[in-house]
Amino acid sequence: MKRIIVLLFIISLFNCTSQFKIENKKTNKGKEKMEYFDIEKYKDWESDTEWNSNEIVKFLKKGNDRVEIYFYKKGIQVRLKNTQNYYSTVKTYSYKNKLLQGVSHEFYAIDIGIYREYDEIGKLGREIDYDKPYKFSIKQLIEKVKKECNVDLEKKIQNTWAKRKVDQNLKKPFYEVSLGSKEIPGQQEYILIDGTTGETLFETIYYTKGDIETMNPFDQYITKLKKEEEEDNSYFKNYKGKNYTKKEWKEFEEEWYKNYKENKDKGFWDDIFKKPGKK
């Protein structure tokens, strides 16, 4: 009996020890995933002389890669980018313990992808999906502009920019694209794209230099919508004693054409076998 008790005690002790080792292994693994800011990571980078570095900000370069390091009172921000495209990654670190606090990604000045925020011990907290309102993706936008305008928005080849927003009044997501003219300095081609369907909604030319002043392109689109709404709801024509607005007349024409299509293919036998009283 004593031998059995001793044996059970040894097995129990072994299980506890094994469990302790497994838990420690998990904890150590979690710590290894934590990211800290380390200036030594950039020791083989050289100063980017296109910008003036000081105690608050450092501009460094290595090949086509560029990094901007900002030392704020509440934290450290590191912006990584490349001279060949318009993508960048922004990381923020705690000033106190240099632990990673947040990671975000940008295309031009557009927040894209998933923003991740970490607490004071490195545990993942809040996440924001910046792409969620846009069923028409950034990649689809790039392909559309490349196909229709022969311009690659990803490459830094000319004066281009892209924005996106959800308009609170229209309650719709939009992409705004501006393409610089190679022939006329200051002239920009503006394209407004539906963020859900990818449809081109509005195009215009505006200027950023010279004496020509043009209204903000998106404001031009809003003005166009208001004018169309006024026209749709104003008197358009009279038909058989009834006044129609442009919108009402369009609906009437569509309904008339629908009825015409449904009835034009009815043949001789349809009329013969039609029940009395049925139209």
Side-chain angles (χ1 to χ4, degrees):
M1 184 69 180
K2 289 182 179 180
R3 288 181 180 180
I4 295 173
I5 293 173
V6 171
L7 182 60
L8 290 174
F9 175 75
I10 292 171
I11 292 172
S12 175
L13 182 62
F14 176 78
N15 287 338
C16 290
T17 306
S18 299
Q19 186 178 359
F20 176 74
K21 287 181 179 178
I22 292 170
E23 288 177 353
N24 268 342
K25 189 176 180 180
K26 288 181 179 178
T27 305
N28 290 333
K29 187 177 179 181
K31 287 184 178 180
E32 288 173 0
K33 288 185 177 179
M34 292 182 184
E35 182 178 331
Y36 294 85
F37 172 76
D38 185 2
I39 193 66
E40 289 297 309
K41 180 179 178 180
Y42 307 99
K43 64 181 180 181
D44 59 340
W45 292 50
E46 59 181 307
S47 178
D48 187 355
T49 54
E50 289 189 18
W51 306 90
N52 295 322
S53 296
N54 51 49
E55 293 181 357
I56 298 175
V57 59
K58 303 291 182 186
F59 297 96
L60 305 172
K61 65 180 181 178
K62 185 178 181 181
N64 291 324
D65 293 326
R66 298 290 184 271
V67 64
E68 302 168 11
I69 306 174
Y70 297 88
F71 297 92
Y72 299 116
K73 290 182 179 180
K74 293 185 178 181
I76 302 167
Q77 184 187 86
V78 177
R79 179 179 292 272
L80 295 159
K81 52 187 180 179
N82 190 282
T83 58
Q84 303 302 301
N85 58 56
Y86 287 98
Y87 292 100
S88 60
T89 297
V90 181
K91 295 184 177 183
T92 55
Y93 300 86
S94 167
Y95 193 86
K96 184 178 180 180
N97 59 10
K98 307 298 188 293
L99 187 63
L100 181 68
Q101 290 185 321
V103 182
S104 61
H105 306 279
E106 296 176 0
F107 179 61
Y108 288 84
I110 301 172
D111 289 313
I112 63 172
I114 306 293
Y115 166 74
R116 292 182 172 86
E117 190 175 89
Y118 302 87
D119 63 17
E120 64 278 1
I121 61 172
K123 184 179 178 182
L124 178 63
R126 189 170 58 136
E127 285 188 327
I128 301 174
D129 185 356
Y130 286 115
D131 295 335
K132 189 175 181 179
Y134 304 88
K135 292 183 179 179
F136 193 73
S137 69
I138 288 288
K139 287 296 181 185
Q140 289 174 306
L141 173 71
I142 293 167
E143 289 303 315
K144 176 183 174 69
V145 175
K146 190 183 296 183
K147 180 180 178 180
E148 298 179 5
C149 307
N150 196 30
V151 174
D152 190 341
L153 287 174
E154 291 182 300
K155 294 182 179 179
K156 291 188 177 181
I157 54 176
Q158 66 181 75
N159 183 21
T160 61
W161 58 255
K163 299 178 182 177
R164 71 180 182 184
K165 63 181 178 182
V166 177
D167 186 83
Q168 297 303 315
N169 293 321
L170 298 177
K171 301 187 185 305
K172 284 183 61 175
F174 297 96
Y175 286 101
E176 296 180 275
V177 174
S178 182
L179 309 176
S181 171
K182 295 180 180 179
E183 291 78 28
I184 305 175
Q187 179 176 294
Q188 299 284 130
E189 179 185 357
Y190 174 86
I191 307 168
L192 184 67
I193 298 167
D194 191 308
T196 300
T197 65
E199 177 190 358
T200 298
L201 301 172
F202 180 68
E203 294 181 80
T204 190
I205 298 296
Y206 74 105
Y207 297 86
T208 57
K209 294 180 182 179
D211 299 329
I212 303 175
E213 293 186 6
T214 53
M215 184 188 298
N216 178 284
F218 189 77
D219 291 341
Q220 291 183 44
Y221 172 67
I222 297 300
T223 300
K224 176 176 173 288
L225 289 183
K226 290 180 179 178
K227 185 178 179 180
E228 289 175 349
E229 185 179 4
E230 289 175 0
E231 290 177 351
D232 285 343
N233 293 292
S234 61
Y235 170 79
F236 181 66
K237 70 185 307 180
N238 183 285
Y239 179 70
K240 292 185 177 181
K242 181 179 178 180
N243 292 333
Y244 289 85
T245 64
K246 188 175 181 179
K247 183 178 180 181
E248 290 171 339
W249 182 252
K250 184 179 179 181
E251 292 172 351
F252 171 78
E253 284 185 317
E254 289 174 351
E255 185 65 24
W256 182 91
Y257 184 72
K258 180 182 176 182
N259 292 333
Y260 167 75
K261 290 286 288 183
E262 289 176 352
N263 293 295
K264 78 166 187 173
D265 296 327
K266 288 184 177 180
F268 174 74
W269 297 109
D270 291 316
D271 293 332
I272 290 179
F273 291 106
K274 185 167 60 177
K275 292 181 180 180
K278 185 176 180 181
K279 295 182 180 181

